[in-house]
Amino acid sequence: MNSEPKISLLGTSALLFEAPGDTSLAAQQRIWALAREAEAWPEVREAVPGMNNLMLSFAQVPHSLQALEQRLLAAWQAARPLSLEGRVIELPVVYGGAGGPHLADVVAHTGMGIDEIVERHCAPLYPVYALGSHPGYCYLGGMDPRIATPRRAVPVLSIPGGAVSIGGTQTGVSASDGPSGWNTIGSTTMCFFDPARKPPALLQPGDSIRFRVQQVIR
């Protein structure tokens, strides 16, 4: 596993800082700390934390890209985990049925029964690491590794907004209709993104989700 950060340009107006591949909450909290420092730099227009990465868009093209990269690497080395105390959102989920067409695949992969999978999925308090993929979508940490299930060999062309899915060692909730390679195990009616709302995204890094069983359909 690469233990050194990677920096790459995104055209001429942004760069991407990729941290070493640690998916712990403490590692993500260092990304939050780096974002908070970098967003105050005069050449930075916006600092957007992602899952184990940070995108910086430029207010103006830096005079010396190499100097900015060195400052970014130094700031990463000095960064300490930043704890953000956000809200806890309870999310009622209907597991299985038409809204959870791949629950049987998770059963087949893990060898667990439906009730045990649902119980293990609902047990953690999931921290929101970052927003991305599509507007309002949250990257979550904290899923029980015993229910981890590989992503689908053939992605589904369209899943509805509110689809609750497992992909590898992560779980998430789709904020809008679209394709997915994850295993959809349930659904919720919660709205994660509304352009008329301020802010439009329901959740932010530092918030947490707790899944709650509304119904299990076998």
Side-chain angles (χ1 to χ4, degrees), residues 91-134:
L91 205 64
V93 177
V94 176
Y95 287 92
H102 307 137
L103 182 57
D105 295 328
V106 179
V107 169
H109 177 76
T110 62
M112 299 177 188
I114 290 176
D115 290 337
E116 184 176 4
I117 289 169
V118 169
E119 181 181 355
R120 292 190 184 281
H121 188 257
C122 289
L125 182 63
Y126 293 92
V128 176
Y129 278 12
L131 301 184
S133 178
H134 57 273

Side-chain angles (χ1 to χ4, degrees), residues 106-190:
V106 179
V107 169
H109 177 76
T110 62
M112 299 177 188
I114 290 176
D115 290 337
E116 184 176 4
I117 289 169
V118 169
E119 181 181 355
R120 292 190 184 281
H121 188 257
C122 289
L125 182 63
Y126 293 92
V128 176
Y129 278 12
L131 301 184
S133 178
H134 57 273
Y137 180 81
C138 302
Y139 288 98
L140 306 176
M143 191 183 79
D144 188 329
R146 290 169 289 188
I147 60 173
T149 304
R151 299 185 184 193
R152 305 189 66 76
V154 179
V156 177
L157 293 179
S158 182
I159 61 171
V164 178
S165 304
I166 291 175
T169 59
Q170 288 184 274
T171 189
V173 186
S174 180
S176 60
D177 298 357
S180 174
W182 290 27
N183 302 282
T184 300
I185 62 171
S187 62
T188 181
T189 58
M190 186 76 75

Side-chain angles (χ1 to χ4, degrees), residues 3-200:
S3 60
E4 296 296 326
K6 177 182 176 183
I7 298 176
S8 53
L9 286 175
L10 302 175
T12 60
S13 60
L15 63 75
L16 183 68
F17 174 90
E18 297 177 80
D22 183 350
T23 59
S24 69
L25 177 58
Q28 189 67 23
Q29 288 174 331
R30 285 183 69 194
I31 291 287
W32 298 346
L34 185 63
R36 179 164 293 185
E37 178 171 348
E39 68 186 1
W41 297 347
E43 60 269 72
V44 173
R45 180 169 63 89
E46 189 177 18
V48 183
M51 185 72 181
N52 276 11
N53 61 59
L54 177 67
M55 186 192 76
L56 300 183
S57 63
F58 306 138
Q60 55 189 23
V61 178
H63 294 300
S64 172
L65 187 62
Q66 184 177 12
L68 177 61
E69 290 178 353
Q70 291 302 316
R71 187 171 10 147
L72 193 56
L73 289 170
W76 171 250
Q77 293 301 323
R80 296 294 176 265
L82 173 65
S83 178
L84 299 176
E85 298 298 329
R87 301 165 301 152
V88 176
I89 301 295
E90 287 205 354
L91 205 64
V93 177
V94 176
Y95 287 92
H102 307 137
L103 182 57
D105 295 328
V106 179
V107 169
H109 177 76
T110 62
M112 299 177 188
I114 290 176
D115 290 337
E116 184 176 4
I117 289 169
V118 169
E119 181 181 355
R120 292 190 184 281
H121 188 257
C122 289
L125 182 63
Y126 293 92
V128 176
Y129 278 12
L131 301 184
S133 178
H134 57 273
Y137 180 81
C138 302
Y139 288 98
L140 306 176
M143 191 183 79
D144 188 329
R146 290 169 289 188
I147 60 173
T149 304
R151 299 185 184 193
R152 305 189 66 76
V154 179
V156 177
L157 293 179
S158 182
I159 61 171
V164 178
S165 304
I166 291 175
T169 59
Q170 288 184 274
T171 189
V173 186
S174 180
S176 60
D177 298 357
S180 174
W182 290 27
N183 302 282
T184 300
I185 62 171
S187 62
T188 181
T189 58
M190 186 76 75
C191 176
F192 284 86
F193 186 82
D194 181 354
R197 188 168 54 200
K198 293 187 178 180

